[in-house]
Amino acid sequence: MNQDFSLEPLPLAGAFRIRHKVFADQRGMFKRIGCHQTLLDAGVDAQPRQVNCSMTPVKGTVRGMHYQMPPAAEVKIVNCFHGELFDVLIDLRPNSATFLQWHGERLSADSHTSLIVPKGFAHGFQALSDNVLMMYLNSTDYSPDLEGGLNPLDPTINVKWPLPVVGLSAKDGGREFIDSHFDGIPLVT
Ligand SMILES: Cc1cn([C@H]2C[C@H](O)[C@@H](COP(=O)(O)OP(=O)(O)O[C@H]3O[C@H](C)C(=O)[C@H](O)[C@H]3O)O2)c(=O)[nH]c1=O
């Protein structure tokens, strides 16, 4: 078991929390952000094709809930490097026992935890402080033509955001709520 970069399963199968061991000394701290072999050993096939970051200056802002359709469905590994956020993943795998269920947890610069969001999930977060810096690794290239999303306020999903939601983009806030015909993200191997 790699103690420098260890994975803990989340309640939604295939999703994990990563715990990063912190090496602190008088100069500050060091920690490993990625470890391909540890991911492979846990069955997570995710080599970063693209690395993104976002800065969200206003507390309460929500970005999400985003996903890409096959063949651009992606694994995301999300890190918070400044401030604190509430990170949310929604299971959109049609045959999953937890279809349309969500999991959320706090990430911060000091939690030294990050999350693995598998293919077939929507992802988003709420800034719980000002100036939240999010960095994430994507396993596929950005494919806007294959991008999908859910409205963060969708009552069917009913995410319990810790703060009143502010600052939605037109794209995110304009998403129609899903109905009984919504069939998630078809996963092709
Ligand atoms: C993701 C992405 C976006 N863009 C462009 C598209 C827009 O003009 C602009 C902002 O994109 P977006 O509104 O999707 O950014 P966020 O709302 O922060 O969404 C991101 O953060 C949430 C939490 C996610 O999980 C998504 O993966 C990611 O899209 O950057 C690119 O040019 N390349 C990219 O890879």
Side-chain angles (χ1 to χ4, degrees):
M1 169 88 152
N2 181 342
Q3 295 301 323
D4 297 353
F5 179 97
S6 55
L7 272 56
E8 300 166 355
L10 295 181
L12 302 178
F16 293 89
R17 176 185 311 106
I18 301 171
R19 284 202 183 280
H20 305 270
K21 180 178 178 180
V22 176
F23 296 89
D25 62 24
Q26 74 284 3
R27 299 166 299 168
M29 75 89 187
F30 170 93
K31 64 182 177 182
R32 180 175 300 155
I33 295 301
C35 182
H36 185 53
Q37 191 56 54
T38 303
L39 296 178
L40 280 183
D41 292 346
V44 178
D45 181 12
Q47 295 202 49
R49 286 276 304 183
Q50 294 180 335
V51 183
N52 300 319
C53 79
S54 64
M55 166 53 78
T56 305
V58 178
K59 178 175 177 180
T61 304
V62 168
R63 293 174 180 260
M65 309 304 289
H66 301 161
Y67 57 87
Q68 292 192 156
M69 297 295 275
E74 79 273 46
V75 178
K76 289 176 194 161
I77 300 177
V78 297
N79 293 268
C80 178
F81 285 154
H82 188 273
E84 184 177 28
L85 60 85
F86 184 70
D87 205 62
V88 174
L89 47 156
I90 304 170
D91 189 351
L92 298 182
R93 299 168 298 188
N95 301 323
S96 170
T98 53
F99 181 57
L100 297 185
Q101 291 184 30
W102 63 275
H103 171 81
E105 63 183 69
R106 291 167 182 254
L107 302 177
S108 72
D110 301 327
S111 69
H112 302 300
T113 54
S114 50
L115 295 185
I116 298 174
V117 183
K119 294 180 180 181
F121 282 67
H123 173 256
F125 71 89
Q126 181 174 46
L128 300 182
S129 69
D130 292 339
N131 302 318
V132 167
L133 181 62
M134 153 78 86
M135 186 276 276
Y136 39 118
L137 314 173
N138 281 16
S139 67
T140 59
D141 293 344
Y142 177 58
S143 308
D145 297 342
L146 291 169
E147 186 179 38
L150 299 182
N151 188 310
L153 300 175
D154 195 309
T156 299
I157 310 299
N158 197 25
V159 173
K160 302 293 185 205
W161 299 106
L163 300 173
V165 173
V166 299
L168 289 179
S169 68
K171 175 181 75 172
D172 293 342
R175 295 256 185 221
E176 296 284 321
F177 292 160
I178 63 174
D179 60 21
S180 57
H181 301 292
F182 179 73
D183 53 9
I185 304 173
L187 282 188
V188 291
T189 52

